[in-house]
Amino acid sequence: MRIVLTFLMLALAFVAFPTGVQAQKMQEREEDFLRSKPLIGDHLPDVTVYSPDGTPSKTGDLRGHYTVLTFGCLT
Amino acid sequence: MYRDYGPKEVKFFFIYKSLAHPELAGNYVQPFTLSERLDHARQAERQLGASIPWIVDAMDNRLKHALGDRPNSEFIVNPEGIIIRKRAWSDPAQVRKDLEELVGPVDRITREEDVQLKLELPPKATAAVRIMPRLNRPKMQPIMMEPQIEPEGPPFFAKLRAEADAGLLKDGTGKLYLGFHLDPFHNAHWNNLTEPLSFRIETVEGVTIDKWEAAAPKVSVASDADPREFMLKMAAWPGDKPLRLTVSYFACVGEESCYTVTQEYVLHRERDIDGGGARGEGAGYWESEEFAQRMLASDKDKDGKLAKSEATGIIAPQFSKLDRNKDGFLDLDELEVFSDWLNYHHQPGVPSSESETTQ
């Protein structure tokens, strides 16, 4: 359970416990990120990725739907 | 959210990337091959238990680089393939608001308690751990390295983690950490009944190292799974002269299958932005259990949990948020969760903001 909680905490960390300085830092990071490429309005970069069974696909094919993409890993 | 908006034709994907924090719970280490990264992604599917599919970034981390190199960023793409939302940190509540705006609200919002996730734990260590003392290595950064993979060779049961301090990265003089960590996906343990792991670095003219070669200390138990770690002092390592390192070790999978392994790496004096920030005991971070036990030192009535009146220091102001089950006490699990959060933000442990890495 702990690793799962860890994962969730990583995802929710800033949301869960922002205090003054952290909240400000978070805000600055978000603003930096918004200014960095790709910008809102740009196409999603088209690169090869894989399904967990190893089947390749292209991110450029993620069309026809609204798609939510979230980065993560085991740690 | 997946349950609510999947039927509305919204697609959700997790993107599996390089590890943000090697050595965190599970003692995972960075994979060297795509096949190993796919193993990670399948383990993530099991551990998280979510139905949301994963897509896996290539080993050159092209998608991570193309999308801004953040460990937990989030994007919403419209049907034309255009990015319409982006956040450096995933924010599920905000995504729900976005989707309500984009495709409309749902009749009934699925709550966390409605979802019966089948969660799995990380694999257990293959042999005893905490046998070897760990090296402390706060503020060190991972460096670029190339494992010399031979298609017909044995897997990298042990994987090198190479880190440099600020001096070494900047001008070639400083400390180099070499840690050979068993990869839990290969299920191996050290065979301590024979010679311990040893490494050798090919000499480079002009460069000085206090140990061009060394062997790990002998271990008293027959097998264990602790990393074999070395801290080297180096001087005058030019940025354009990679080091060639050869490591030899004996590893066993189960009781019977033992391997004599010799493997090579090429090390570069260059920070690896995909290396993540290590979280091992030696890396200067809180161990969850240790942290929780320390916090329980203020448990005056010794009931094994903290009441609000007993909470002190950094715990006190966060008490109500930390009390996840709302029973008015912080138990060991809740304190351990908090330590993971503290680790993530590098406070109040040893590392400062200087030690932050791009993950």
Side-chain angles (χ1 to χ4, degrees):
Chain A
M1 178 56 99
R2 204 170 87 195
I3 181 64
V4 176
L5 289 175
T6 301
F7 188 97
L8 296 175
M9 288 305 293
L10 299 189
L12 297 170
F14 273 111
V15 181
F17 304 110
T19 56
V21 175
Q22 289 152 7
Q24 191 186 342
K25 209 171 170 183
M26 176 180 97
Q27 183 68 27
E28 287 170 7
R29 284 183 181 183
E30 286 294 341
E31 286 168 8
D32 284 349
F33 190 62
L34 279 174
R35 283 192 294 268
S36 67
K37 287 191 174 178
L39 302 171
I40 286 175
D42 289 348
H43 275 100
L44 183 71
D46 186 18
V47 300
T48 299
V49 290
Y50 301 88
S51 65
D53 69 4
T55 307
S57 62
K58 302 281 280 182
T59 48
D61 293 338
L62 295 172
R63 293 190 181 202
H65 306 271
Y66 285 102
T67 304
V68 180
L69 298 170
T70 307
F71 277 93
C73 62
L74 278 170
T75 59
Chain B
M1 197 139 42
Y2 174 68
R3 295 202 178 184
D4 293 345
Y5 282 94
K8 287 180 172 283
E9 295 298 307
V10 176
K11 302 290 181 189
F12 293 79
F13 294 97
F14 289 131
I15 304 170
Y16 197 88
K17 51 174 274 298
S18 54
L19 290 177
H21 299 293
E23 302 165 48
L24 197 62
N27 285 316
Y28 296 116
V29 293
Q30 298 289 9
F32 286 173
T33 65
L34 178 62
S35 166
E36 290 175 338
R37 184 173 279 183
L38 297 174
D39 284 340
H40 278 225
R42 290 192 291 268
Q43 178 68 17
E45 287 180 318
R46 292 191 290 271
Q47 274 187 214
L48 202 57
S51 308
I52 297 175
W54 287 84
I55 53 179
V56 184
D57 200 3
M59 288 307 287
D60 59 6
N61 303 300
R62 60 187 71 170
L63 188 56
K64 172 176 176 280
H65 295 169
L67 287 177
D69 278 315
R70 299 297 178 105
N72 190 220
S73 55
E74 189 160 69
F75 299 81
I76 300 181
V77 180
N78 75 6
E80 288 73 46
I82 292 172
I83 295 167
I84 52 172
R85 300 281 191 283
K86 59 181 285 197
R87 285 182 198 93
W89 287 93
S90 167
D91 182 348
Q94 194 58 50
V95 170
R96 183 175 286 281
K97 284 185 190 168
D98 291 337
L99 293 178
E100 283 173 355
E101 186 185 319
L102 294 164
V103 297
V106 293
D107 296 333
R108 181 177 177 276
I109 292 175
T110 303
R111 294 165 303 171
E112 197 178 330
E113 53 267 34
D114 298 332
V115 182
Q116 299 295 318
L117 296 176
K118 287 184 183 172
L119 309 171
E120 275 191 23
L121 292 170
K124 282 187 177 169
T126 52
V129 292
R130 302 186 185 197
I131 302 292
M132 301 274 284
R134 296 292 307 272
L135 292 184
N136 194 19
R137 51 188 228 266
K139 300 186 182 181
M140 296 186 79
Q141 303 278 6
I143 60 170
M144 300 290 288
M145 60 177 188
E146 300 164 75
Q148 304 296 293
I149 296 168
E150 294 177 19
E152 302 302 318
F156 281 70
F157 298 109
K159 290 185 164 63
L160 174 61
R161 170 86 179 174
E163 296 179 357
D165 69 2
L168 188 60
L169 275 172
K170 186 163 175 273
D171 58 22
T173 297
K175 286 194 286 188
L176 175 67
Y177 165 84
L178 301 175
F180 298 92
H181 297 250
L182 289 170
D183 182 341
F185 286 101
H186 290 303
N187 218 19
H189 53 85
W190 305 113
N191 176 0
N192 298 330
L193 300 176
T194 182
E195 291 301 307
L197 174 145
S198 63
F199 75 86
R200 179 173 50 80
I201 299 171
E202 278 182 25
T203 53
V204 177
E205 199 179 334
V207 178
T208 58
I209 306 184
D210 64 344
K211 295 188 267 280
W212 287 100
E213 56 183 48
K218 288 262 188 188
V219 182
S220 56
V221 296
S223 68
D224 74 288
D226 281 335
R228 301 298 188 250
E229 300 177 301
F230 305 87
M231 192 68 78
L232 279 54
K233 287 183 187 163
M234 291 187 70
W237 181 14
D240 61 353
K241 293 252 177 83
L243 298 179
R244 285 194 83 86
L245 179 148
T246 304
V247 61
S248 300
Y249 57 91
F250 296 89
C252 296
V253 178
E255 295 294 317
E256 302 295 330
S257 306
C258 290
Y259 301 83
T260 306
V261 183
T262 297
Q263 288 164 332
E264 293 189 13
Y265 295 84
V266 175
L267 308 184
H268 299 271
R269 205 195 93 199
E270 180 187 346
R271 187 179 154 204
D272 178 4
I273 63 164
D274 300 311
R279 287 297 169 82
E281 280 178 79
Y285 292 84
W286 291 110
E287 264 296 294
S288 300
E289 195 175 336
E290 181 199 355
F291 172 86
Q293 294 293 356
R294 266 192 212 197
M295 291 299 111
L296 283 175
S298 61
D299 173 23
K300 289 176 192 156
D301 59 8
K302 303 293 174 201
D303 62 353
K305 53 193 181 181
L306 290 184
K308 194 161 188 177
S309 60
E310 295 170 327
T312 56
I314 52 175
I315 293 289
Q318 308 289 354
F319 191 93
S320 58
K321 285 176 186 167
L322 296 174
D323 181 16
R324 296 161 66 89
N325 61 6
K326 305 296 174 200
D327 67 349
F329 296 95
L330 298 183
D331 58 26
L332 208 58
D333 282 346
E334 288 165 333
L335 290 167
E336 288 185 11
V337 167
F338 189 45
S339 80
D340 289 333
W341 181 83
L342 287 170
N343 281 336
Y344 197 64
H345 295 283
H346 301 173
Q347 58 168 295
V350 179
S352 70
S353 58
E354 291 167 49
S355 68
E356 288 197 16
T357 54
T358 303
Q359 292 128 9

